[in-house]
Amino acid sequence: MEFKFGGSETNQRTVLGHPSGLFVLFFTEMWERFSYYGMRALLVLFLVSTLLDGGWEWDRADALVLYGWYTGLVYLTPIIGGFIADKFMGYRKAIILGALIMTLGHASMALEGMTSMFFYAGLTFLIIGNGLFKPNISSMVGQLYKTQGKEKDAGYTIFYMGINAGAFLGILLCGYIGENVSWHYGFGLAGIFMFFGMVQFYFSQKIFGKIGLTPIKTGDVDDVIEDSIEQLGEDIEDAVEEAESSKVVRDRMIVIGILSLFVVFFWWAFEQAGGSMTIFAEDYTDRSLEGVAATTFKIINTIITIVPMLVITWVLAMLFRQTFSKYSFANIILGLSFVIIWGIVIWMLNREFQSDTTEVPASWFSVLNSLFIILFAPLFSKIWESKYNPSGPVKFAIGLFLVGLGFAALSYGAAGIPDGAKTASVSLIFLVIAYFLHTMGELCVSPVGLSYVSKLAPVKFVSLMFGIWFTANFFANLLGGLTGSFIDPISEEHGLSTFFLIFTIIPIVAGLIMLILNRKLLKMMHGIK
């Protein structure tokens, strides 16, 4: 009997029309993103907080440089992690090992009060673990489907929603506990759910059949590494030769290079979210609410927390129905994680409603990115399928314009802050507008860019081109952190408004250049749309 989907017989049981294994990966990735974004939301806030508040009282510049290196390396290590899984471990073992290393990383960061070495060791573990985890779980999603059609696209869309659900809950809960209870508890909470994700994946992995198993060994480790390096060199030479011999291939690969260059400008600005924008939220935004404003925030915060939780719990129940008899322990672990998360959510909301004063956590604003993606991704998908679908370069230009306009809102909001001021009370509406515009820009750039790389690259060079793409993300995040570290000297000399104006002008200029190049790039794509 031939199965419709890859994997075991149990995987043929569907949830929302997709194989059950997709949702095993969905929840594993959700808890990993919970841990990553929960920690990311706290990193800079913890470093710049005073010793009295439990932080390290670092200069903003030093904190933002560390943030840039951390987020940059998170994009670089998956290239190595994918190689290790392909040649030695297989996807499953790489995912489990990566999750274990990240769990240890969070545990180490939770113990930073004993010695600073725990903190740095934790960051190192998180970078290494992410490299093993991230590329390989995405690869497993693709192998669940035997066709390359709309079913696979829809599967990745559901998986993407899991990513954003995890990011949403991680920022909301780890951020709240870190800022209001203890930094240690915030870091530790992220690790607890990473551990739950690892355990439920480990005990349900047989649902994938042969997908992700250890590759067949063809020699000892030294030989495999040597052969792989030689193969990589040959692939690069082949790519150059094919580009030289075929004008179509050459043009398309040049387009990938140009898109990779321009995506640096987008993420360079966008990744200020965990850096300078978090500092703006912490020190320059009026987050204290009273009366009607406080009540309105509590109600809105409750709705945007409870509704996604209900949806995800409903999906969990459907997965239980299909897999509990076969993978009961994995389902019990997953169910336990949701019991705990519901308990924390109810405790948090109850604590806020009983409080006489309301202060919006600085980390809360980062939640808006995931919330807006969940709300607007379906709308953008419909637009791209309609007659109003613009070309790839135009979408990139729109994304760059939107991220620039987001910083224009912040620049306008910061216009009244005196030069060199360390605190202010700007309306929080400017941050809300900025996150909304940035998210709309992300929906124009991120999924579109990945799609064009896969379509433009010759089949045998897709991995190589994705390596270039993620390397561009590494440089963007690193440069974003380094540029953000100049927030104080620029603010003292020219004002905070001018600092944000830099992130307004450069992306918009890049967007204009992309519009100018649109026709040329379309011609060089040779029919790819």
Side-chain angles (χ1 to χ4, degrees), residues 360-486:
V360 182
S363 59
W364 181 87
F365 295 95
S366 297
V367 168
L368 297 173
N369 176 236
S370 297
L371 177 66
F372 289 143
I373 284 179
I374 293 169
L375 292 176
F376 291 98
L379 173 62
F380 273 74
S381 179
K382 291 293 183 184
I383 294 172
W384 300 157
E385 293 173 2
S386 72
K387 64 180 180 179
Y388 301 106
N389 181 31
S391 68
V394 170
K395 290 173 185 172
F396 260 61
I398 293 171
L400 287 161
F401 289 150
L402 288 169
V403 79
L405 289 173
F407 280 106
L410 291 179
S411 180
Y412 179 77
I417 299 175
D419 294 358
K422 295 296 183 182
T423 59
S425 297
V426 175
S427 170
L428 57 77
I429 191 64
F430 294 106
L431 270 172
V432 175
I433 292 170
Y435 274 105
F436 174 76
L437 292 171
H438 288 184
T439 305
M440 298 305 101
E442 180 185 2
L443 289 169
C444 291
V445 171
S446 183
V448 172
L450 293 171
S451 176
Y452 270 88
V453 171
S454 67
K455 289 187 287 189
L456 289 168
V459 176
K460 60 181 178 179
F461 302 131
V462 169
S463 296
L464 185 63
M465 292 299 103
F466 270 114
I468 292 172
W469 182 263
F470 284 116
T471 301
N473 281 266
F474 159 72
F475 283 113
N477 280 267
L478 177 58
L479 290 171
L482 294 175
T483 310
S485 70
F486 288 96

Side-chain angles (χ1 to χ4, degrees), residues 30 52 109 147 151 174 233 384 406 428:
M30 189 183 89
L52 192 62
M109 291 188 73
T147 64
E151 272 189 339
C174 293
W384 300 157
L428 57 77

Side-chain angles (χ1 to χ4, degrees), residues 166-413:
F168 175 83
L169 291 172
I171 296 168
L172 187 71
L173 300 181
C174 293
Y176 182 85
I177 289 174
E179 288 191 69
N180 291 281
V181 181
S182 166
W183 301 111
H184 312 299
Y185 290 150
F187 291 137
L189 182 67
I192 289 170
F193 290 99
M194 184 69 261
F195 177 75
F196 279 131
M198 176 190 69
V199 172
Q200 75 96 21
F201 177 83
Y202 179 83
F203 284 100
S204 57
Q205 62 179 304
K206 288 184 179 178
I207 198 172
F208 302 112
K210 295 182 180 179
I211 295 173
L213 292 176
T214 305
I216 299 170
K217 293 181 174 60
T218 56
D220 61 31
V221 173
D222 291 339
D223 289 340
V224 172
I225 293 175
E226 187 177 337
D227 291 344
S228 298
I229 293 172
E230 288 178 2
Q231 183 62 49
L232 177 61
E234 289 174 7
D235 286 345
I236 294 172
E237 289 177 9
D238 288 345
V240 173
E241 287 176 9
E242 190 163 337
E244 289 175 348
S245 62
S246 169
K247 185 179 186 303
V248 173
V249 173
R250 180 179 70 247
D251 286 351
R252 287 176 177 172
M253 291 176 77
I254 289 173
V255 171
I256 292 175
I258 292 171
L259 293 179
S260 298
L261 174 62
F262 278 85
V263 84
V264 170
F265 291 105
F266 179 83
W267 292 118
W268 164 77
F270 183 92
E271 279 299 329
Q272 297 303 309
S276 62
M277 288 176 69
T278 296
I279 286 174
F280 183 78
E282 171 75 6
D283 296 332
Y284 298 99
T285 302
D286 182 7
R287 296 178 286 112
S288 297
L289 304 177
E290 297 178 352
V292 176
T295 304
T296 303
F297 171 76
K298 290 174 182 177
I299 293 171
I300 292 173
N301 192 44
T302 300
I303 293 170
I304 67 174
T305 304
I306 294 294
V307 172
M309 280 295 297
L310 289 172
V311 172
I312 298 166
T313 305
W314 171 62
V315 173
L316 180 70
M318 289 191 289
L319 179 63
F320 277 11
R321 193 179 305 142
Q322 299 291 21
T323 63
F324 195 89
S325 61
K326 192 77 173 176
Y327 305 106
S328 55
F329 185 73
N331 282 321
I332 289 169
I333 291 295
L334 190 55
L336 176 62
S337 68
F338 269 80
V339 169
I340 295 172
I341 212 80
W342 268 110
I344 296 171
V345 164
I346 293 168
W347 166 80
M348 178 190 75
L349 295 175
N350 181 61
R351 187 174 189 259
E352 282 301 296
F353 270 103
Q354 289 186 346
S355 176
D356 295 330
T357 59
T358 296
E359 183 174 83
V360 182
S363 59
W364 181 87
F365 295 95
S366 297
V367 168
L368 297 173
N369 176 236
S370 297
L371 177 66
F372 289 143
I373 284 179
I374 293 169
L375 292 176
F376 291 98
L379 173 62
F380 273 74
S381 179
K382 291 293 183 184
I383 294 172
W384 300 157
E385 293 173 2
S386 72
K387 64 180 180 179
Y388 301 106
N389 181 31
S391 68
V394 170
K395 290 173 185 172
F396 260 61
I398 293 171
L400 287 161
F401 289 150
L402 288 169
V403 79
L405 289 173
F407 280 106
L410 291 179
S411 180
Y412 179 77

Side-chain angles (χ1 to χ4, degrees), residues 105-120:
H106 285 294
S108 183
M109 291 188 73
L111 298 173
E112 58 77 28
M114 297 182 180
T115 170
S116 60
M117 288 306 297
F118 277 120
F119 179 80
Y120 295 116

Side-chain angles (χ1 to χ4, degrees), residues 122-142:
L123 283 181
T124 304
F125 285 157
L126 289 173
I127 292 166
I128 294 170
N130 179 80
L132 287 167
F133 185 99
K134 190 170 181 62
N136 299 309
I137 195 166
S138 298
S139 298
M140 285 191 68
V141 173

